[in-house]
Amino acid sequence: MSDEQEDDIILAELDDDELVLQMHDDLYDGLKEEIEEGVNILLERGWTPYKILTEALVAGMKVVGDDFRDGILFVPEVLLAANAMKAGMFILKPLLVETGAPKMGKMVIGTVKGDIHDIGKNLVAMMMEGAGFEIRDLGINNPVEDYIAALEEEKADILGMSALLTTTMPYMKVVIDTMKEKGIRDDYIILVGGAPLNEEFGRAIGADAYCRDAAVAVETAKSFMSRKHNRAAEA
Ligand code: B1M
């Protein structure tokens, strides 16, 4: 489509399906302001923040990922797309984060050493907060010492680790093994996630569970926390 034609598109005049497809295109092109506008329009039309996240933003990012893999997009373009995605998430965050909900437990979360991908991890943190968990977000590129220090400082219940690269996912095992050596592994529920992981990997490294996406992370965390509370009540 030519620039002139693109200028003609008025997002508010598109129906929902067209708007979502246009947002996928805008994410692909790294158009931050258009993504912000699209998110606001969908909110005004009564879409839930979660539906906007999954159908307009996460689904759009999948196309970016496929073309990045196939050498059609390169790092600078993907960074622009990531910034546009973050701008959309920024609008949705306060809407996903309920206020006054009883606290379900505390989670320390971070992307592992060597890895700077943080969109998925941020999404998990947002959804967990929305479900009533307290979150200490350690950001990206975390060595084992940072995870352990934060877990102890926060007296956390859950450790969440994210990795998006096949080269960084083995670091999760380094963290868990170090916790075992220190005799603190069983003090925490350990949840792991990220696109290249799967259940088998989660089991193999000794995590409590692999979480396919942010919604699964919330459900898994809730179920482990209720088991923990039941055990405490029985003791
Ligand atoms: Co990168 N990158 N990247 N990248 N990047 C991938 C991961 C890749 C699959 C692209 C591809 O080739 N198709 C590929 C990895 C290949 C591999 O390892 N086999 C790749 C590569 C190769 C690289 C570089 C090496 C490229 C280079 O420099 N040559 C480089 C590495 C830098 C580094 O980390 N050291 C790099 C850099 C980048 C950018 C900086 C440009 C940018 C990151 C920006 C940012 O995050 N701030 C980027 C991006 C954006 C991607 C893709 C396109 C999108 C990732 C994303 O945000 N997805 C990605 C392609 C892809 O994944 N298909 C790709 C959306 C997000 C919502 O999904 O993160 O999967 P995801 O999170 C989900 C679940 O996985 C789960 O829940 C989330 C929400 O539902 N989840 C958890 C995630 N973490 C969890 C933690 C939990 C629970 C669930 O804890 C409890």
PDB file of all heavy atoms in Angstrom, residues 101-128:
ATOM      1  N   ALA A 101      -7.696  -5.944  45.347  1.00  0.00           N
ATOM      2  CA  ALA A 101      -7.930  -7.389  45.385  1.00  0.00           C
ATOM      3  C   ALA A 101      -7.083  -7.991  46.507  1.00  0.00           C
ATOM      4  O   ALA A 101      -5.970  -7.509  46.767  1.00  0.00           O
ATOM      5  CB  ALA A 101      -7.531  -8.002  44.053  1.00  0.00           C
ATOM      6  N   PRO A 102      -7.572  -9.027  47.177  1.00  0.00           N
ATOM      7  CA  PRO A 102      -6.747  -9.636  48.223  1.00  0.00           C
ATOM      8  C   PRO A 102      -5.486 -10.210  47.594  1.00  0.00           C
ATOM      9  O   PRO A 102      -5.526 -10.734  46.484  1.00  0.00           O
ATOM     10  CB  PRO A 102      -7.638 -10.758  48.778  1.00  0.00           C
ATOM     11  CG  PRO A 102      -8.684 -10.991  47.743  1.00  0.00           C
ATOM     12  CD  PRO A 102      -8.833  -9.730  46.963  1.00  0.00           C
ATOM     13  N   LYS A 103      -4.373 -10.066  48.294  1.00  0.00           N
ATOM     14  CA  LYS A 103      -3.113 -10.530  47.702  1.00  0.00           C
ATOM     15  C   LYS A 103      -3.053 -12.055  47.721  1.00  0.00           C
ATOM     16  O   LYS A 103      -3.302 -12.688  48.730  1.00  0.00           O
ATOM     17  CB  LYS A 103      -1.914  -9.912  48.446  1.00  0.00           C
ATOM     18  CG  LYS A 103      -1.747  -8.422  48.137  1.00  0.00           C
ATOM     19  CD  LYS A 103      -1.393  -8.160  46.675  1.00  0.00           C
ATOM     20  CE  LYS A 103      -1.564  -6.721  46.247  1.00  0.00           C
ATOM     21  NZ  LYS A 103      -2.133  -6.551  44.912  1.00  0.00           N
ATOM     22  N   MET A 104      -2.706 -12.603  46.559  1.00  0.00           N
ATOM     23  CA  MET A 104      -2.692 -14.070  46.399  1.00  0.00           C
ATOM     24  C   MET A 104      -1.348 -14.672  46.785  1.00  0.00           C
ATOM     25  O   MET A 104      -1.243 -15.861  47.037  1.00  0.00           O
ATOM     26  CB  MET A 104      -2.926 -14.424  44.932  1.00  0.00           C
ATOM     27  CG  MET A 104      -4.167 -13.877  44.324  1.00  0.00           C
ATOM     28  SD  MET A 104      -5.599 -14.840  44.780  1.00  0.00           S
ATOM     29  CE  MET A 104      -5.160 -16.441  44.164  1.00  0.00           C
ATOM     30  N   GLY A 105      -0.291 -13.848  46.749  1.00  0.00           N
ATOM     31  CA  GLY A 105       1.049 -14.365  46.984  1.00  0.00           C
ATOM     32  C   GLY A 105       2.025 -13.432  46.311  1.00  0.00           C
ATOM     33  O   GLY A 105       1.622 -12.471  45.649  1.00  0.00           O
ATOM     34  N   LYS A 106       3.321 -13.708  46.504  1.00  0.00           N
ATOM     35  CA  LYS A 106       4.325 -12.797  45.939  1.00  0.00           C
ATOM     36  C   LYS A 106       5.224 -13.531  44.944  1.00  0.00           C
ATOM     37  O   LYS A 106       5.690 -14.640  45.245  1.00  0.00           O
ATOM     38  CB  LYS A 106       5.170 -12.243  47.085  1.00  0.00           C
ATOM     39  CG  LYS A 106       5.869 -10.958  46.732  1.00  0.00           C
ATOM     40  CD  LYS A 106       6.685 -10.424  47.882  1.00  0.00           C
ATOM     41  CE  LYS A 106       6.049  -9.224  48.530  1.00  0.00           C
ATOM     42  NZ  LYS A 106       6.948  -8.568  49.495  1.00  0.00           N
ATOM     43  N   MET A 107       5.450 -12.899  43.804  1.00  0.00           N
ATOM     44  CA  MET A 107       6.285 -13.525  42.780  1.00  0.00           C
ATOM     45  C   MET A 107       7.446 -12.627  42.383  1.00  0.00           C
ATOM     46  O   MET A 107       7.270 -11.425  42.177  1.00  0.00           O
ATOM     47  CB  MET A 107       5.442 -13.794  41.536  1.00  0.00           C
ATOM     48  CG  MET A 107       6.219 -14.417  40.381  1.00  0.00           C
ATOM     49  SD  MET A 107       5.233 -14.408  38.872  1.00  0.00           S
ATOM     50  CE  MET A 107       5.540 -16.042  38.255  1.00  0.00           C
ATOM     51  N   VAL A 108       8.622 -13.244  42.291  1.00  0.00           N
ATOM     52  CA  VAL A 108       9.786 -12.571  41.709  1.00  0.00           C
ATOM     53  C   VAL A 108       9.892 -13.097  40.284  1.00  0.00           C
ATOM     54  O   VAL A 108       9.857 -14.307  40.070  1.00  0.00           O
ATOM     55  CB  VAL A 108      11.063 -12.923  42.506  1.00  0.00           C
ATOM     56  CG1 VAL A 108      12.309 -12.538  41.727  1.00  0.00           C
ATOM     57  CG2 VAL A 108      11.046 -12.242  43.865  1.00  0.00           C
ATOM     58  N   ILE A 109       9.980 -12.188  39.325  1.00  0.00           N
ATOM     59  CA  ILE A 109      10.060 -12.642  37.925  1.00  0.00           C
ATOM     60  C   ILE A 109      11.153 -11.890  37.175  1.00  0.00           C
ATOM     61  O   ILE A 109      11.407 -10.709  37.460  1.00  0.00           O
ATOM     62  CB  ILE A 109       8.690 -12.489  37.212  1.00  0.00           C
ATOM     63  CG1 ILE A 109       8.710 -13.163  35.828  1.00  0.00           C
ATOM     64  CG2 ILE A 109       8.265 -11.037  37.096  1.00  0.00           C
ATOM     65  CD1 ILE A 109       7.340 -13.336  35.191  1.00  0.00           C
ATOM     66  N   GLY A 110      11.806 -12.564  36.252  1.00  0.00           N
ATOM     67  CA  GLY A 110      12.826 -11.904  35.446  1.00  0.00           C
ATOM     68  C   GLY A 110      13.238 -12.769  34.272  1.00  0.00           C
ATOM     69  O   GLY A 110      13.041 -13.989  34.281  1.00  0.00           O
ATOM     70  N   THR A 111      13.780 -12.123  33.264  1.00  0.00           N
ATOM     71  CA  THR A 111      14.345 -12.848  32.115  1.00  0.00           C
ATOM     72  C   THR A 111      15.777 -13.263  32.468  1.00  0.00           C
ATOM     73  O   THR A 111      16.503 -12.508  33.119  1.00  0.00           O
ATOM     74  CB  THR A 111      14.349 -11.935  30.865  1.00  0.00           C
ATOM     75  OG1 THR A 111      13.024 -11.465  30.635  1.00  0.00           O
ATOM     76  CG2 THR A 111      14.843 -12.666  29.644  1.00  0.00           C
ATOM     77  N   VAL A 112      16.159 -14.448  32.030  1.00  0.00           N
ATOM     78  CA  VAL A 112      17.457 -14.993  32.465  1.00  0.00           C
ATOM     79  C   VAL A 112      18.668 -14.309  31.822  1.00  0.00           C
ATOM     80  O   VAL A 112      18.547 -13.629  30.801  1.00  0.00           O
ATOM     81  CB  VAL A 112      17.557 -16.519  32.189  1.00  0.00           C
ATOM     82  CG1 VAL A 112      16.529 -17.296  32.980  1.00  0.00           C
ATOM     83  CG2 VAL A 112      17.461 -16.806  30.698  1.00  0.00           C
ATOM     84  N   LYS A 113      19.788 -14.564  32.434  1.00  0.00           N
ATOM     85  CA  LYS A 113      21.073 -14.016  31.980  1.00  0.00           C
ATOM     86  C   LYS A 113      21.288 -14.251  30.476  1.00  0.00           C
ATOM     87  O   LYS A 113      21.022 -15.339  29.985  1.00  0.00           O
ATOM     88  CB  LYS A 113      22.177 -14.709  32.781  1.00  0.00           C
ATOM     89  CG  LYS A 113      23.556 -14.155  32.567  1.00  0.00           C
ATOM     90  CD  LYS A 113      24.499 -14.818  33.539  1.00  0.00           C
ATOM     91  CE  LYS A 113      25.926 -14.537  33.188  1.00  0.00           C
ATOM     92  NZ  LYS A 113      26.850 -15.213  34.107  1.00  0.00           N
ATOM     93  N   GLY A 114      21.768 -13.221  29.804  1.00  0.00           N
ATOM     94  CA  GLY A 114      22.082 -13.349  28.376  1.00  0.00           C
ATOM     95  C   GLY A 114      20.901 -13.052  27.467  1.00  0.00           C
ATOM     96  O   GLY A 114      21.043 -13.005  26.254  1.00  0.00           O
ATOM     97  N   ASP A 115      19.741 -12.836  28.065  1.00  0.00           N
ATOM     98  CA  ASP A 115      18.513 -12.691  27.274  1.00  0.00           C
ATOM     99  C   ASP A 115      17.858 -11.338  27.569  1.00  0.00           C
ATOM    100  O   ASP A 115      17.656 -10.996  28.739  1.00  0.00           O
ATOM    101  CB  ASP A 115      17.548 -13.823  27.662  1.00  0.00           C
ATOM    102  CG  ASP A 115      16.484 -14.085  26.620  1.00  0.00           C
ATOM    103  OD1 ASP A 115      15.984 -13.106  26.029  1.00  0.00           O
ATOM    104  OD2 ASP A 115      16.162 -15.257  26.393  1.00  0.00           O
ATOM    105  N   ILE A 116      17.555 -10.587  26.499  1.00  0.00           N
ATOM    106  CA  ILE A 116      16.986  -9.250  26.724  1.00  0.00           C
ATOM    107  C   ILE A 116      15.521  -9.152  26.283  1.00  0.00           C
ATOM    108  O   ILE A 116      14.954  -8.075  26.236  1.00  0.00           O
ATOM    109  CB  ILE A 116      17.813  -8.151  26.012  1.00  0.00           C
ATOM    110  CG1 ILE A 116      17.807  -8.363  24.498  1.00  0.00           C
ATOM    111  CG2 ILE A 116      19.229  -8.111  26.557  1.00  0.00           C
ATOM    112  CD1 ILE A 116      18.348  -7.161  23.724  1.00  0.00           C
ATOM    113  N   HIS A 117      14.905 -10.280  25.944  1.00  0.00           N
ATOM    114  CA  HIS A 117      13.482 -10.253  25.559  1.00  0.00           C
ATOM    115  C   HIS A 117      12.644 -10.037  26.812  1.00  0.00           C
ATOM    116  O   HIS A 117      12.788 -10.777  27.785  1.00  0.00           O
ATOM    117  CB  HIS A 117      13.084 -11.581  24.906  1.00  0.00           C
ATOM    118  CG  HIS A 117      13.772 -11.831  23.606  1.00  0.00           C
ATOM    119  ND1 HIS A 117      15.015 -12.415  23.536  1.00  0.00           N
ATOM    120  CD2 HIS A 117      13.396 -11.558  22.329  1.00  0.00           C
ATOM    121  CE1 HIS A 117      15.373 -12.503  22.257  1.00  0.00           C
ATOM    122  NE2 HIS A 117      14.414 -11.987  21.505  1.00  0.00           N
ATOM    123  N   ASP A 118      11.745  -9.036  26.765  1.00  0.00           N
ATOM    124  CA  ASP A 118      10.959  -8.818  27.992  1.00  0.00           C
ATOM    125  C   ASP A 118       9.460  -8.636  27.776  1.00  0.00           C
ATOM    126  O   ASP A 118       8.715  -8.442  28.737  1.00  0.00           O
ATOM    127  CB  ASP A 118      11.515  -7.632  28.792  1.00  0.00           C
ATOM    128  CG  ASP A 118      11.357  -6.291  28.085  1.00  0.00           C
ATOM    129  OD1 ASP A 118      10.893  -6.273  26.932  1.00  0.00           O
ATOM    130  OD2 ASP A 118      11.686  -5.266  28.703  1.00  0.00           O
ATOM    131  N   ILE A 119       9.004  -8.715  26.539  1.00  0.00           N
ATOM    132  CA  ILE A 119       7.575  -8.450  26.307  1.00  0.00           C
ATOM    133  C   ILE A 119       6.698  -9.524  26.964  1.00  0.00           C
ATOM    134  O   ILE A 119       5.743  -9.212  27.675  1.00  0.00           O
ATOM    135  CB  ILE A 119       7.282  -8.351  24.795  1.00  0.00           C
ATOM    136  CG1 ILE A 119       8.013  -7.137  24.224  1.00  0.00           C
ATOM    137  CG2 ILE A 119       5.789  -8.242  24.539  1.00  0.00           C
ATOM    138  CD1 ILE A 119       7.906  -6.982  22.733  1.00  0.00           C
ATOM    139  N   GLY A 120       7.042 -10.787  26.735  1.00  0.00           N
ATOM    140  CA  GLY A 120       6.256 -11.879  27.321  1.00  0.00           C
ATOM    141  C   GLY A 120       6.319 -11.848  28.837  1.00  0.00           C
ATOM    142  O   GLY A 120       5.300 -11.986  29.521  1.00  0.00           O
ATOM    143  N   LYS A 121       7.516 -11.617  29.353  1.00  0.00           N
ATOM    144  CA  LYS A 121       7.685 -11.537  30.818  1.00  0.00           C
ATOM    145  C   LYS A 121       6.848 -10.392  31.390  1.00  0.00           C
ATOM    146  O   LYS A 121       6.184 -10.553  32.430  1.00  0.00           O
ATOM    147  CB  LYS A 121       9.183 -11.355  31.131  1.00  0.00           C
ATOM    148  CG  LYS A 121       9.585 -11.343  32.562  1.00  0.00           C
ATOM    149  CD  LYS A 121       9.745  -9.941  33.126  1.00  0.00           C
ATOM    150  CE  LYS A 121      10.750  -9.089  32.403  1.00  0.00           C
ATOM    151  NZ  LYS A 121      10.557  -7.656  32.698  1.00  0.00           N
ATOM    152  N   ASN A 122       6.833  -9.259  30.709  1.00  0.00           N
ATOM    153  CA  ASN A 122       6.032  -8.111  31.182  1.00  0.00           C
ATOM    154  C   ASN A 122       4.536  -8.439  31.183  1.00  0.00           C
ATOM    155  O   ASN A 122       3.806  -8.047  32.088  1.00  0.00           O
ATOM    156  CB  ASN A 122       6.260  -6.878  30.297  1.00  0.00           C
ATOM    157  CG  ASN A 122       7.664  -6.339  30.414  1.00  0.00           C
ATOM    158  OD1 ASN A 122       8.408  -6.719  31.315  1.00  0.00           O
ATOM    159  ND2 ASN A 122       8.061  -5.476  29.502  1.00  0.00           N
ATOM    160  N   LEU A 123       4.154  -9.176  30.159  1.00  0.00           N
ATOM    161  CA  LEU A 123       2.748  -9.570  30.053  1.00  0.00           C
ATOM    162  C   LEU A 123       2.369 -10.486  31.221  1.00  0.00           C
ATOM    163  O   LEU A 123       1.310 -10.329  31.834  1.00  0.00           O
ATOM    164  CB  LEU A 123       2.578 -10.317  28.723  1.00  0.00           C
ATOM    165  CG  LEU A 123       1.251 -10.273  28.026  1.00  0.00           C
ATOM    166  CD1 LEU A 123       0.789  -8.847  27.868  1.00  0.00           C
ATOM    167  CD2 LEU A 123       1.396 -10.912  26.638  1.00  0.00           C
ATOM    168  N   VAL A 124       3.245 -11.424  31.519  1.00  0.00           N
ATOM    169  CA  VAL A 124       2.992 -12.340  32.644  1.00  0.00           C
ATOM    170  C   VAL A 124       2.901 -11.520  33.939  1.00  0.00           C
ATOM    171  O   VAL A 124       1.972 -11.691  34.732  1.00  0.00           O
ATOM    172  CB  VAL A 124       4.101 -13.417  32.748  1.00  0.00           C
ATOM    173  CG1 VAL A 124       3.930 -14.259  34.010  1.00  0.00           C
ATOM    174  CG2 VAL A 124       4.088 -14.314  31.519  1.00  0.00           C
ATOM    175  N   ALA A 125       3.845 -10.595  34.134  1.00  0.00           N
ATOM    176  CA  ALA A 125       3.845  -9.785  35.362  1.00  0.00           C
ATOM    177  C   ALA A 125       2.531  -8.998  35.468  1.00  0.00           C
ATOM    178  O   ALA A 125       1.915  -8.940  36.539  1.00  0.00           O
ATOM    179  CB  ALA A 125       5.047  -8.841  35.361  1.00  0.00           C
ATOM    180  N   MET A 126       2.101  -8.422  34.347  1.00  0.00           N
ATOM    181  CA  MET A 126       0.859  -7.640  34.342  1.00  0.00           C
ATOM    182  C   MET A 126      -0.351  -8.487  34.696  1.00  0.00           C
ATOM    183  O   MET A 126      -1.191  -8.098  35.506  1.00  0.00           O
ATOM    184  CB  MET A 126       0.629  -7.078  32.927  1.00  0.00           C
ATOM    185  CG  MET A 126       1.131  -5.686  32.747  1.00  0.00           C
ATOM    186  SD  MET A 126       1.316  -5.277  30.992  1.00  0.00           S
ATOM    187  CE  MET A 126      -0.317  -5.429  30.381  1.00  0.00           C
ATOM    188  N   MET A 127      -0.428  -9.652  34.078  1.00  0.00           N
ATOM    189  CA  MET A 127      -1.602 -10.517  34.312  1.00  0.00           C
ATOM    190  C   MET A 127      -1.588 -11.066  35.744  1.00  0.00           C
ATOM    191  O   MET A 127      -2.637 -11.226  36.356  1.00  0.00           O
ATOM    192  CB  MET A 127      -1.597 -11.693  33.328  1.00  0.00           C
ATOM    193  CG  MET A 127      -1.689 -11.275  31.897  1.00  0.00           C
ATOM    194  SD  MET A 127      -3.376 -11.137  31.314  1.00  0.00           S
ATOM    195  CE  MET A 127      -3.974 -12.770  31.583  1.00  0.00           C
ATOM    196  N   MET A 128      -0.403 -11.359  36.240  1.00  0.00           N
ATOM    197  CA  MET A 128      -0.301 -11.868  37.622  1.00  0.00           C
ATOM    198  C   MET A 128      -0.737 -10.778  38.597  1.00  0.00           C
ATOM    199  O   MET A 128      -1.460 -11.040  39.557  1.00  0.00           O
ATOM    200  CB  MET A 128       1.145 -12.285  37.940  1.00  0.00           C
ATOM    201  CG  MET A 128       1.628 -13.499  37.192  1.00  0.00           C
ATOM    202  SD  MET A 128       0.975 -15.049  37.815  1.00  0.00           S
ATOM    203  CE  MET A 128       1.683 -15.126  39.434  1.00  0.00           C
TER     204      MET A 128
END
